[in-house]
């Protein structure tokens, strides 16, 4: 198990290197510069002198190969560069924002797990029941509803009409502020989890070893606890891992909507003004995050399913 | 004469197609198994052997349902037994071995734990004690290094070993009746012989009666004292094993025996074709009681 763990952790490194190079290449071919974007609102005429000065300052007029060398050597020392806009180290900007995002993503996932998995289980154990039908209709609606719109509805109902919860903002990390964005963000993974859990449970219930379990004289509850749960867990872990990754992407919209000071809104703002170091740093951190979750999922797999370690 | 251990009387079951309509699969199946006796049930795929055994276990799944008859186990009608009571018998007094050792065990649980469940369920043992008893049970089915093997997962074992685990599990609580549904079909021939011998010896030693289901007459002959032949949902013939082989009375049984290759028959009788039983299995709903062997080819035209 230890060897397996170490191997999976070391596999992260080459991926990070490739991603870092890719990010650099992409943002050196994207048109537009930070300096030019300052005049993009059209209120002032572009001042060529100022643009030249800014490009000089940020080293944007140096040859590509030279910029690349600087980027790589800095990165090797865990230096993500300095923001063009705020002139702060990128790592500090990300550090300020990352925890709010992480908090939001984890809260959304916990909500999805706590509600979605039991619903999927119950629906599968009584297929065709009212609960099953309602859950599946709910799941399809949850998957097809645009999150942006759902967020607005929630804001309107719970903040404006009922006045139960604050409609936006971080509120210094108070739990009440977290509820609306987390629930909105959690609806998609919840719907997916309910569906996959239901399908998974139904699948396992048809397996031969479940018939064996019944032939031993086990009650339905014990069959589910002793034989179904663990087998379905593999599927749930996969879904959670995949969803966690895409949550980061979806969070960009939700963070904007609820004015949540997360990494997603930082990314969007920085792309708009071509603040390349921040964009590069943010994407790199998101990728790293994704890789860490994937590795964690693989390790949990191996802990659940003894067949995986052998491969 | 002693009372039969299992007494199946006029068992009728089928697929429920709505409230009152049903498609019959078993028609008035009646046979008895004495305590300690090995009874074989032969017949082709779809003849109703397996659903008979599932009915005894109370494991029929919808839309399959029993429409009539009785299954008496030690004089108690299993069909009218409350679920709870049935669970207490299942695994404990009546145990079952299935055909597919590859999939009949939970892949995510050690075999020791899966055997131990029997002791926890039926004998109220703690998990610690049960695991020890499971190692013993593995030793009883002659699994080498039982204490090491108990910690194995099913995928770490061969088909033969897994079937031994199934046998250990089924016999864990010393049941009165063991139902073996084609337990050797998925195994290769040498392993098959070992597993058969194991079932035969263990059941003889413990006085466990066996309901042995197979389509292989050779296997049945080596293990059973009496045989019932099933065809299209009916028990068409029943006899002592030896008598059935020497003097098959029903046309279908003769067909089955004729399809069996025999070593040395060519030198004794010259080169002969094996008889095949042609035509597909008949649609039960169109069969009449008197004519149901008629669609078959080999015996047609004979009185």
């Amino acid at each position: 198990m230890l060897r397996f763990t170490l191997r999976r952790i070391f596999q992260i490194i080459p991926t990070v290197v490739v991603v870092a190079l890719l990010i650099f290449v992409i943002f050196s071919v994207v048109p537009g510069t930070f300096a030019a974007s300052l005049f993009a609102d059209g209120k002032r005429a572009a001042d060529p002198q100022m643009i030249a000065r800014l490009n000089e300052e940020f080293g944007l007029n140096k040859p590509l190969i030279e910029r690349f060398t600087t980027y790589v050597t800095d990165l090797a020392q865990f230096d993500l560069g300095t923001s063009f806009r705020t002139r702060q180290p990128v790592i500090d900007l990300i550090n300020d924002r990352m925890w709010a995002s992480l908090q939001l993503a984890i809260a959304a996932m916990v909500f999805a797990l706590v509600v979605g998995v039991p619903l999927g289980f119950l629906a599968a154990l009584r297929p065709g029941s009212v609960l099953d039908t309602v859950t599946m209709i709910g799941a399809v609606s949850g998957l097809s509803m645009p999150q942006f719109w759902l967020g607005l509805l929630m804001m309107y109902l719970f903040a404006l009409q009922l006045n139960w919860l604050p409609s936006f903002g971080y509120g210094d990390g108070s739990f009440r502020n977290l509820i609306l964005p987390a629930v909105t963000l959690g609806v998609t993974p919840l719907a997916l989890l309910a569906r996959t859990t239901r399908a998974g449970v139904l699948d396992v219930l048809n397996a031969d070893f479940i018939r064996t379990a019944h032939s031993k004289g086990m009650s339905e509850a014990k069959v589910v606890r002793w034989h179904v749960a663990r087998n379905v867990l593999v599927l749930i872990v996969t879904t959670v891992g995949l969803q966690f990754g895409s949550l980061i992407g979806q969070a960009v919209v939700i963070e904007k909507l609820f004015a949540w000071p997360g990494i997603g809104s930082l990314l969007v703002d920085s792309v708009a003004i071509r603040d390349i170091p921040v964009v590069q740093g943010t994407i790199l951190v998101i990728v790293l995050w994704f890789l860490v979750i994937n590795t964690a999922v693989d390790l949990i797999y191996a802990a659940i399913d003894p067949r995986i370690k052998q491969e | 004469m002693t009372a039969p251990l299992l007494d199946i009387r006029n068992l009728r079951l089928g697929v429920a197609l709505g409230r009152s309509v049903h498609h019959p699969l078993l028609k008035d199946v009646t046979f008895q198994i004495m305590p300690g006796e090995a009874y074989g049930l032969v017949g082709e795929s779809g003849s109703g052997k397996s659903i008979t055994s599932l009915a005894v276990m109370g494991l029929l799944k919808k839309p399959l349902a029993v429409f009539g008859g009785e299954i008496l186990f030690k004089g108690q009608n299993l069909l009218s037994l409350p679920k709870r009571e049935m669970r207490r018998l299942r695994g404990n007094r009546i145990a079952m071995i299935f055909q597919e050792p590859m999939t009949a065990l939970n892949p995510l649980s050690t075999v020791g734990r899966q055997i131990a469940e029997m002791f926890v369920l039926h004998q109220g043992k703690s998990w610690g004690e049960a695991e020890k008893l499971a190692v013993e049970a593995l030793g009883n089915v002659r699994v080498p290094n039982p204490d090491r093997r108990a910690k194995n997962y099913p995928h770490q074992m061969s088909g033969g070993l897994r079937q031994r685990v199934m046998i250990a599990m089924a016999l864990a609580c010393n049941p009165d009746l063991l139902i073996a549904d084609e337990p050797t079909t998925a195994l290769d021939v040498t392993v098959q012989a070992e597993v058969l011998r194991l079932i035969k010896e263990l059941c003889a030693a413990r006085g466990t009666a066996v309901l042995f289901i197979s389509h292989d007459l050779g296997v049945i002959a080596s293990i059973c004292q009496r045989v019932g032949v099933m065809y299209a949902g009916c028990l068409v013939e029943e006899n002592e094993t030896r008598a059935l082989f020497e003097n098959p009375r029903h046309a279908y049984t003769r067909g089955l025996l004729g399809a069996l290759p025999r070593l040395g028959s060519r030198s004794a009788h010259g080169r002969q074709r094996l008889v095949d039983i042609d035509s597909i299995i008949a649609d039960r709903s169109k069969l009449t009681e008197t004519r149901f062997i008629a669609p078959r080819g080999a015996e047609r035209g004979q009185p």
Side-chain angles (χ1 to χ4, degrees), chain A residues 205-209 211-212 214-220 222 226-227 230-231 234 304-307 310, chain B residues 57 59 87 90-91 98 100 103-108 113-114 117-118 121-122 127 153 155 166 169:
Chain A
L205 282 177
N206 275 323
D208 283 341
F209 63 84
R211 193 183 53 186
T212 309
H214 280 295
S215 81
K216 289 173 169 178
M218 227 175 267
S219 64
E220 191 72 31
K222 283 210 175 82
W226 290 0
H227 291 282
R230 219 177 146 86
N231 282 280
V234 176
I304 300 172
D305 193 334
R307 286 169 296 186
Q310 287 205 325
Chain B
M57 289 296 282
L59 290 177
R87 272 211 302 274
R90 211 186 281 151
F98 296 97
E100 312 83 4
T103 51
L105 291 167
N106 184 346
L108 303 189
R113 149 110 196 182
Q114 293 186 59
E117 283 172 1
M118 296 296 272
L121 283 169
H122 297 296
W127 281 109
Y153 290 91
H155 73 277
M166 285 299 293
M169 204 153 76

Side-chain angles (χ1 to χ4, degrees), chain B residues 13-18 21-25 63-65 67:
Chain B
L13 68 82
V15 184
L17 305 165
V21 203
H22 74 268
H23 184 76
L25 293 176
L64 289 178
F67 293 104

